[in-house]
Amino acid sequence: PNNNLITITTKPSYNTPGYMYSINPNKKDFKKVLGKINGLTTLTSPNGKLVLYTSNNLSLNIYNTETQETGSIPIKTLPEKCVWSINNDIIYCAVPKFVNTAFQYPDSWYQGKLIFSDDIWRIDVASGTGSKILDPLLSETDSSLKENAEPIDGTKLALDKNENTLFLINKVDSFLWGLRLK
């Protein structure tokens, strides 16, 4: 996440406990941050103090590495469908409209056995609350379905340096999308 911190997470799988480690390359310090979480996937904040993570049930959590406290976020998605703001206070995520519990997460999504249809959410880290900022399938003027609308299964989210635009790759067709935020 930054020049003084490297984070490593074991390859996630539904029935396998996952672990996350941190390395300070200057001190050559190696330590376990999270562990024994089936299906663990993570995304560390730019300052390295917060870790967005989920288990095989896709419920998002934030772990504070300094206080060692965990808070939950009331949405279901994978951290690789999210991006942190540069100030570590906002998270943008592609959030599935529907999560089918018949699948094994994250394996089924990685293997392409399912495609999500995502909404775009903005999450305030301090309060742990989120709000939907875009439904790509709905018209912004009258909330009807857009003509020729296609589902977006967002991954590899990124923000421009001024955080005016959110970029993502649609896993369905590998096209790049951009959303003006301001």
Side-chain angles (χ1 to χ4, degrees), residues 95 97 117-121 132-140 143-146 149-152 179:
V95 178
K97 294 176 185 298
S117 179
D118 294 334
D119 294 326
I120 306 301
W121 282 65
K132 183 173 21 174
I133 59 173
L134 177 70
D135 182 336
L137 299 179
L138 295 181
S139 167
E140 295 175 20
S143 296
S144 65
L145 281 176
K146 288 182 185 175
E150 60 183 82
I152 292 178
L179 170 64

Side-chain angles (χ1 to χ4, degrees), residues 103-146:
F103 287 97
Q104 294 183 342
Y105 298 105
D107 308 45
S108 296
W109 185 71
Y110 288 157
Q111 295 166 356
K113 292 180 179 177
L114 74 132
I115 293 173
F116 292 125
S117 179
D118 294 334
D119 294 326
I120 306 301
W121 282 65
R122 180 184 186 274
I123 300 157
D124 182 290
V125 175
S127 68
T129 59
S131 59
K132 183 173 21 174
I133 59 173
L134 177 70
D135 182 336
L137 299 179
L138 295 181
S139 167
E140 295 175 20
T141 55
D142 62 4
S143 296
S144 65
L145 281 176
K146 288 182 185 175

Side-chain angles (χ1 to χ4, degrees), residues 89-101:
D89 58 346
I90 302 293
I91 305 168
Y92 293 96
C93 294
V95 178
K97 294 176 185 298
F98 176 73
V99 174
N100 186 337
T101 57

Side-chain angles (χ1 to χ4, degrees), residues 58-79:
L58 301 188
S59 294
L60 274 184
N61 298 284
I62 295 181
Y63 177 74
N64 186 314
T65 60
E66 292 180 332
T67 65
Q68 299 183 344
E69 294 177 348
T70 299
S72 62
I73 298 173
I75 59 174
K76 289 184 178 275
T77 194
L78 294 158

